[in-house]
Amino acid sequence: MRKILITGAFGQIGTELSQVLQELYGFDNVVVSGLEHSVKEELIDGVLEVVDVTNGNQLLNVVKKYQVDTIIHLAALLSAVGEKYPQKLWDVNMNGLYNVLEVGRISGASIFTPSSIAAFGPTTPADNTPQDTIQRPSTIYGVSKVSGELLCDYYFLKYGVDTRGVRFPGLISNTALPGGGTTDYAVHIFYEAVKSKYFECNIAAGTYMDMMYMPDAIASIIKLMEADPSKLSHRNAFNISSMSIEPEDLRRAILKHIPDFEMIYKVDPVKQKIAMSWPNSLDDSLARAEWDFSPEYDLEKMTADMLTSLRKKI
Ligand code: AKB
């Protein structure tokens, strides 16, 4: 990666990733882009472009202008909001990805696209979900993720576009809040624990999902994009995970730091149904073997770091 364009750079992943890439690759070598209304002041030190990924020409012009060699394509709607606006999700997630891939084909840029645990569904083996298995998701977000994985593989096989991706679990971060996801509860629980020591959890006790702390997610993007392509037997997309947890695991971990923390359940039926359709835990051995995926944070370490950072911030 030498000249990088990040789409959706002001979202949950992009906000933190942009800062890390600016530090590592140089401010002039990272083009931070997003919709006009999403722009965040703290990131505009670097090169900033307003880009709507549903506008292919706008995307191509920016890639040509900066001679971009790598596109990290993060602009997307998440699972729960997608069930409210399925047509909009398809437009942004699929037409946006198609435009990015076409720009990759024309310009030769490499492309990172995140897939998700949402690419699996109720008929997928739920425990230790294999890399290659049944993928029949029941959400529009999941359908877009499976279609995206296939489309990215197609562009690699047909046109030689260097497409790479991971299936992200729920991501937990203290910099930017997620919006419209099913795993968002695992972020909000920390904010509420610090703010009010009280949290209403919208996912039921006992619902296991994979999660990861944002520094590990960012390291995984960089590691995969810098990996020797001859070592990659798969491209789109690698299972990765740091922990398989349920709400009670988070409650217990927080209680060790905030003994009077209280949590009650107000389950959101839409989110719960989505969560139940996703795996409990992924088998990520292929990512570990092929490009040395090795997360640093487990539940205890992440909880301590989240609470320390949020106490300073809030
Ligand atoms: C969501 O909950 O929609 C996302 C995801 C797991 O892809 N965080």
Side-chain angles (χ1 to χ4, degrees):
M1 295 196 282
R2 289 187 314 278
K3 276 272 179 191
I4 305 163
L5 169 68
I6 307 174
T7 72
F10 301 99
Q12 191 203 12
I13 305 175
T15 303
E16 246 169 286
L17 178 71
S18 300
Q19 290 164 357
V20 174
L21 292 182
Q22 283 172 335
E23 287 298 319
L24 283 176
Y25 294 86
F27 272 69
D28 292 345
N29 296 323
V30 180
V31 183
V32 171
S33 80
L35 293 173
E36 197 157 12
H37 66 79
S38 68
V39 170
K40 283 184 198 147
E41 297 295 322
E42 66 268 25
L43 279 180
I44 57 170
D45 274 357
V47 186
L48 173 76
E49 287 283 343
V50 170
V51 172
D52 176 350
V53 293
T54 63
N55 182 338
N57 285 333
Q58 201 182 39
L59 200 58
L60 183 60
N61 288 339
V62 170
V63 166
K64 281 186 178 160
K65 179 174 168 188
Y66 294 97
Q67 297 178 319
V68 165
D69 67 25
T70 305
I71 305 172
I72 300 191
H73 175 47
L74 303 176
L77 264 61
L78 295 182
S79 57
V81 77
E83 292 309 293
K84 270 196 202 150
Y85 309 109
Q87 292 76 12
K88 184 165 182 210
L89 183 138
W90 192 257
D91 185 31
V92 175
N93 291 21
M94 288 314 299
N95 294 331
L97 176 58
Y98 171 75
N99 288 336
V100 168
L101 288 167
E102 274 294 289
V103 168
R105 180 179 69 78
I106 295 163
S107 69
S110 299
I111 294 163
F112 173 87
T113 314
S115 185
S116 161
I117 51 174
F120 298 113
T123 51
T124 302
D127 294 310
N128 210 23
T129 303
Q131 173 68 39
D132 297 311
T133 186
I134 300 165
Q135 289 184 268
R136 307 288 292 176
S138 49
T139 61
I140 188 70
Y141 177 66
V143 173
S144 80
K145 288 300 177 192
V146 179
S147 312
E149 289 184 9
L150 293 172
L151 197 58
C152 287
D153 274 348
Y154 181 79
Y155 268 73
F156 170 65
L157 293 169
K158 176 91 177 168
Y159 301 115
V161 179
D162 180 12
T163 58
R164 308 182 190 193
V166 297
R167 293 181 183 131
F168 274 133
L171 298 179
I172 297 170
S173 60
N174 54 56
T175 303
L177 284 169
T182 303
T183 58
D184 294 6
Y185 90 89
V187 179
H188 293 303
I189 190 172
F190 287 103
Y191 277 80
E192 295 311 315
V194 171
K195 274 197 244 168
S196 61
K197 301 182 182 179
Y198 173 78
F199 182 61
E200 292 178 355
C201 187
N202 58 25
I203 295 294
T207 312
Y208 281 90
M209 285 184 276
D210 282 298
M211 301 281 172
M212 182 178 290
Y213 198 30
M214 192 60 84
D216 282 329
I218 287 170
S220 77
I221 296 174
I222 297 170
K223 244 184 192 175
L224 177 59
M225 292 314 285
E226 295 290 8
D228 174 355
S230 70
K231 298 227 168 88
L232 305 178
S233 67
H234 286 61
R235 281 180 167 265
N236 304 283
F238 284 91
N239 284 0
I240 58 169
S241 173
S242 303
M243 60 194 96
S244 160
I245 53 173
E246 57 113 348
E248 287 298 310
D249 292 323
L250 280 167
R251 187 177 72 88
R252 278 190 293 269
I254 291 171
L255 275 174
K256 288 184 192 160
H257 301 263
I258 306 174
D260 50 349
F261 173 60
E262 252 188 85
M263 180 163 100
I264 63 147
Y265 287 93
K266 279 204 180 162
V267 174
D268 174 331
V270 174
K271 290 193 176 183
Q272 184 61 27
K273 191 168 168 219
I274 298 175
M276 297 295 286
S277 76
W278 291 351
N280 298 331
S281 61
L282 298 188
D283 171 6
D284 60 8
S285 49
L286 204 74
R288 290 174 192 262
E290 291 192 358
W291 49 276
D292 190 30
F293 168 67
S294 47
E296 208 188 294
Y297 289 87
D298 60 11
L299 176 59
E300 303 303 324
K301 196 170 169 192
M302 174 183 79
T303 302
D305 198 68
M306 272 298 276
L307 294 175
T308 308
S309 304
L310 290 179
R311 276 182 182 129
K312 283 185 206 145
K313 181 173 164 171
I314 296 173

